[in-house]
Amino acid sequence: MAGLIRFLFILFLVLSQTVQAQTLKGVVVDGESGKPLVAVSVWNTRTQQYVYTDTKGEFSMAAEKGDPILFSFVGYKTQQKTVAPSLGVAEMHIELFRLSYQLEEFIYRPRYTPYQLDSMERQSTYQRTLAREKVTSVMSPVTLLADKLSRKSKQIYRFQKSFNYWEDVKFIESRYSQQLVQQMTGLKGDTLAYFMNANPIPYDYARVASDLELKMWIRERYREWLKNPVYPPVIPAMDSTKRP
């Protein structure tokens, strides 16, 4: 009898450990078409580990029961699932649905970001200059020639181009800020600047990425950067005793 109790106790211990899923496997598909989604971010928020789905929409990662798993993909609603108890391998079938951008226009935002406030002020200040359109041959060949030869027109068009460029730069800085990168990487000072210069974020991605996707993008670039950190060349100090 004692031997049977000991065996049952050992069996209970084994089973209680195996219900902790050591591996999580699954597939992520489009919720409407059912087609597999490639490069979906799969993030275990407990362990901070993340992977991406392959060409078949499949993924595999270490996880235990109860772990919260976030599924994120540009243009789709982020979804969170919890790992269920399983013997060895837990499986998930995830359906992601596209964001409805038409509804976003009607979302009431009580406050503007500092970037939005500054941008609106700049747009208002230079409204007349920014509204100037280039003359085309459809309007009048003579007017077109005069416009091309006009020094004032050239200055206005150069200003418009420069204005749009710096608007893009300021927007990127509002999302890809030193504070955020320092928070995600722990870098400071010159090293932080070197990392950000070596890893500029594309403007289009900064526009559509969610906060979570942006953080994961920074973490991924930081992990790659650590393999081969990029620093500017060291310029030796000039010896003041030597004259040219």
Side-chain angles (χ1 to χ4, degrees):
M1 185 65 180
L4 178 60
I5 294 176
R6 187 181 298 107
F7 171 78
L8 292 176
F9 178 75
I10 295 175
L11 180 61
F12 172 78
L13 291 179
V14 173
L15 291 177
S16 64
Q17 293 178 355
T18 55
V19 294
Q20 299 279 340
Q22 299 301 311
T23 304
L24 173 64
K25 293 184 177 181
V27 61
V28 184
V29 300
D30 183 284
E32 296 181 358
S33 67
K35 295 182 179 180
L37 295 177
V38 183
V40 175
S41 301
V42 184
W43 185 23
N44 186 329
T45 60
R46 181 185 67 84
T47 64
Q48 298 297 303
Q49 178 192 8
Y50 60 93
V51 296
Y52 297 96
T53 56
D54 59 20
T55 55
K56 297 181 181 179
E58 298 176 349
F59 68 91
S60 177
M61 69 187 310
E64 297 181 357
K65 73 170 184 177
D67 282 357
I69 310 296
L70 280 178
F71 298 87
S72 178
F73 193 52
V74 176
Y76 286 75
K77 296 179 181 178
T78 299
Q79 192 173 148
Q80 177 173 310
K81 294 291 184 179
T82 301
V83 179
S86 177
L87 296 178
V89 178
E91 296 184 355
M92 285 186 178
H93 181 87
I94 305 298
E95 295 182 347
L96 295 184
F97 293 89
R98 292 183 179 275
L99 291 169
S100 178
Y101 292 104
Q102 293 181 345
L103 296 179
E104 291 185 358
E105 297 178 358
F106 299 95
I107 295 177
Y108 172 70
R109 300 184 183 278
R111 294 182 180 178
Y112 291 104
T113 65
Y115 162 77
Q116 290 173 324
L117 291 173
D118 291 342
S119 180
M120 287 188 293
E121 183 177 353
R122 289 191 294 269
Q123 293 283 349
S124 177
T125 302
Y126 302 106
Q127 181 177 5
R128 294 185 60 183
T129 304
L130 296 174
R132 173 73 175 268
E133 296 182 359
K134 285 189 175 182
V135 178
T136 64
S137 58
V138 177
M139 299 178 181
S140 169
V142 177
T143 307
L144 173 62
L145 179 60
D147 187 69
K148 285 183 175 295
L149 297 177
S150 171
R151 181 178 180 181
K152 182 177 181 180
S153 295
K154 292 179 180 179
Q155 291 176 341
I156 290 176
Y157 300 144
R158 283 198 296 267
F159 174 81
Q160 290 177 346
K161 185 176 181 180
S162 177
F163 182 91
N164 292 331
Y165 169 79
W166 285 110
E167 277 294 297
D168 291 349
V169 171
K170 290 181 181 297
F171 172 76
I172 291 176
E173 291 177 348
S174 71
R175 298 217 61 199
Y176 188 46
S177 64
Q178 289 188 349
Q179 291 81 1
L180 177 61
V181 176
Q182 181 177 345
Q183 174 188 343
M184 301 305 299
T185 64
L187 299 176
K188 297 180 180 179
D190 291 341
T191 307
L192 174 63
Y194 299 155
F195 169 77
M196 295 184 68
N197 290 334
N199 295 274
I201 187 171
Y203 173 80
D204 291 338
Y205 185 75
R207 275 289 183 191
V208 300
S210 65
D211 292 341
L212 173 61
E213 290 166 341
L214 183 59
K215 291 179 180 179
M216 294 182 67
W217 184 90
I218 295 172
R219 186 180 288 110
E220 176 68 19
R221 293 302 182 279
Y222 179 59
R223 186 169 62 178
E224 293 298 321
W225 185 77
L226 286 177
K227 298 177 182 178
N228 185 26
V230 177
Y231 297 96
V234 177
I235 301 176
M238 180 180 295
D239 189 348
S240 60
T241 61
K242 296 181 179 180
R243 300 296 181 181

